[in-house]
Amino acid sequence: MSRAQPRPMLSSFRFFGILAAGALALAACGGMEAESSPSAGGDTDCESTTKVRVVLQWVAQAQFAGYYQAKDKGYYADECLDVTIQEGGVDVVPQQVLASGNAEFAVSHVTKTLATREEGADLVNIGQVFQRGAYLEVAWADSEIKTIEDFRGKKLGSWGKGNELVQYAALRANGIEPEKDARIIQQSFDMSQLLKREVDVAVAKTYNEYAQVLEQVNPKTGKLYQPEDFVTIDLQEIGFASLEDGIYANGDWLAKNGNEDVAVRFLKATYQGWASCRDEFDSCVDTVLDNGSALGAGHQTWQLNEINKLIWPSPDGIGAMDTAAWDQTVEIAIDGNVLKGEPSGDAYRTDLSEKAVAELEDAGVDATGADFRAKTVKLTEGGE
């Protein structure tokens, strides 16, 4: 096991209160133990199949394409796993669902998961899928906003539910205290408030909300908005690169007999799903659409391309933890008063992911993507 050093979370996060609510809301999902049942057969040689659940950060979209691809291509079944993919949503906080025992695995950002961990949950990062961050701040080009320092006194969109933590850290590092020096407005998970000029600055991800803006028609030109119509501030480029989607499990669950093996098999199949989304791009977009994406093929094509950029290449193998990136994520969170201090050394472990990658490579699967090249994707009106 490698060292881990996460940090705490905002006291306002109220972990235990939400934890109780999550437990009640999801009680029907059952307890925390992974269940084994006789295998249904098929092409696998499983004597039994282990049932596990993974909870996502949001609804079905290409951000989670690897999980859906692993399920639909049978990679989970090949590892004798029966995986239920639980969608996230506005009122679903994945790291708290995991802490409540209502899933065996969760997909979550490092910062907000460490915040929950600081509140007392024993959440462990077992695979850091996204190697790069994707946070943007977006304003109109005709505004006077050029840098974060210009946010003072402005109306700022913010998502909440732990998604604001990196944004707040960037604001505080630039001398702007949220709620005091700027007006924080609850932003919907789209860009309608920016387009209506109800906020001066909106938060976005490169793979989702930014594309939603550029998929809209500019009434002045009758054509789609162009990047030059907006000012975009990439938080990664200005020193606030924070690790995002990783795979988490409860430490006490991992300690139970057999569960480390379950975790390795889950990681192995998931990583194979992501490799497939890199190498069988169009098939993976179709998989996302088949699993109920609310946004169209054009948008999901853009999104998967951007997501692949966050994962590939992975020089040390998909899921590897870059300790420098981890340390920077923690430092940003502490400096921004998001975490109170350094996390303990067991906040992440690398051995399970390393074993999964080794098994994939032994099977001939490219787990590094050294030759990865992003596609050029043309946006379409409404993302259709």
Side-chain angles (χ1 to χ4, degrees):
M1 180 187 302
S2 293
R3 67 165 201 150
Q5 293 183 327
R7 309 178 181 190
M9 162 178 204
L10 291 175
S11 58
S12 60
F13 209 77
R14 305 302 182 213
F15 165 75
F16 288 110
I18 303 175
L19 180 65
L24 289 172
L26 294 167
C29 294
M32 187 170 161
E33 297 248 13
E35 295 180 16
S36 293
S37 59
S39 173
D43 295 331
T44 65
D45 296 322
C46 304
E47 294 182 1
S48 64
T49 299
T50 302
K51 295 182 178 181
V52 295
R53 300 153 295 178
V54 56
V55 57
L56 309 179
Q57 294 197 88
W58 194 238
V59 297
Q61 58 181 20
Q63 179 183 0
F64 313 110
Y67 306 92
Y68 289 109
Q69 190 81 332
K71 186 174 179 68
D72 286 19
K73 286 276 191 179
Y75 302 148
Y76 288 134
D78 289 345
E79 295 299 324
C80 303
L81 297 176
D82 179 1
V83 177
T84 297
I85 300 175
Q86 299 175 187
E87 292 188 45
V90 175
D91 296 320
V92 177
V93 182
Q95 70 273 18
Q96 294 171 348
V97 174
L98 178 64
S100 300
N102 289 297
E104 284 66 50
F105 304 102
V107 180
S108 183
H109 290 183
V110 168
T111 301
K112 62 184 180 181
T113 309
L114 290 182
T116 303
R117 181 181 171 90
E118 193 170 75
E119 295 285 349
D122 183 20
L123 305 185
V124 181
N125 182 309
I126 60 172
Q128 185 53 46
V129 178
F130 285 13
Q131 299 290 298
R132 302 157 194 92
Y135 271 107
L136 300 176
E137 298 284 336
V138 184
W140 286 97
D142 60 10
S143 70
E144 297 179 353
I145 296 170
K146 304 299 179 186
T147 68
I148 286 187
E149 288 89 343
D150 298 326
F151 290 8
R152 185 177 298 275
K154 303 298 185 182
K155 295 179 290 184
L156 309 182
S158 186
W159 288 325
K161 300 292 184 182
N163 295 293
E164 79 283 6
L165 301 181
V166 175
Q167 178 191 34
Y168 279 17
L171 289 172
R172 288 173 175 138
N174 284 274
I176 299 173
E177 180 61 34
E179 303 290 357
K180 177 182 177 182
D181 300 321
R183 182 181 173 190
I184 302 297
I185 294 177
Q186 179 65 46
Q187 181 181 321
S188 55
F189 285 90
D190 58 34
M191 300 298 273
S192 59
Q193 290 151 295
L194 178 69
L195 292 171
K196 295 175 183 177
R197 296 184 184 262
E198 295 172 353
V199 297
D200 299 307
V201 185
V203 66
K205 291 294 186 75
T206 58
Y207 54 80
N208 194 2
E209 292 79 18
Y210 181 58
Q212 289 182 41
V213 169
L214 301 180
E215 290 164 348
Q216 302 305 309
V217 173
N218 183 343
K220 294 181 179 179
T221 65
K223 299 179 180 180
L224 296 183
Y225 282 111
Q226 298 300 307
E228 54 265 28
D229 293 321
F230 303 93
V231 171
T232 58
I233 300 172
D234 188 322
L235 295 188
Q236 290 65 232
E237 292 181 356
I238 64 170
F240 294 92
S242 295
L243 292 171
E244 297 180 11
D245 291 24
I247 299 174
Y248 292 82
N250 271 295
D252 57 356
W253 180 85
L254 289 169
K256 294 181 180 179
N257 185 43
N259 284 348
E260 287 186 351
D261 175 66
V262 172
V264 170
R265 288 187 277 135
F266 178 80
L267 291 173
K268 179 182 175 183
T270 298
Y271 294 167
Q272 189 171 1
W274 281 117
S276 175
C277 286
R278 177 196 66 212
D279 299 336
E280 303 174 88
F281 186 93
D282 293 339
S283 164
C284 195
V285 171
D286 289 341
T287 295
V288 173
L289 295 171
D290 290 344
N291 278 275
S293 169
L295 296 171
H299 186 85
Q300 296 304 336
T301 300
W302 168 281
Q303 185 169 131
L304 182 57
N305 191 47
E306 294 299 314
I307 291 295
N308 273 333
K309 294 178 188 178
L310 303 181
I311 301 172
W312 311 106
S314 292
D316 295 323
I318 182 173
M321 177 61 76
D322 181 332
T323 56
W326 174 275
D327 291 343
Q328 177 173 317
T329 299
V330 172
E331 181 179 358
I332 290 169
I334 290 177
D335 291 346
N337 298 323
V338 171
L339 297 177
K340 297 174 184 176
E342 292 282 341
S344 59
D346 57 353
Y348 74 79
R349 55 187 295 183
T350 64
D351 57 323
L352 304 177
S353 185
E354 289 165 355
K355 184 175 181 181
V357 167
E359 291 183 9
L360 281 179
E361 292 178 334
D362 286 345
V365 176
D366 177 6
T368 63
D371 297 328
F372 168 74
R373 296 291 182 272
K375 298 179 179 297
T376 298
V377 177
K378 184 178 180 179
L379 289 167
T380 56
E381 183 177 346
E384 296 302 321

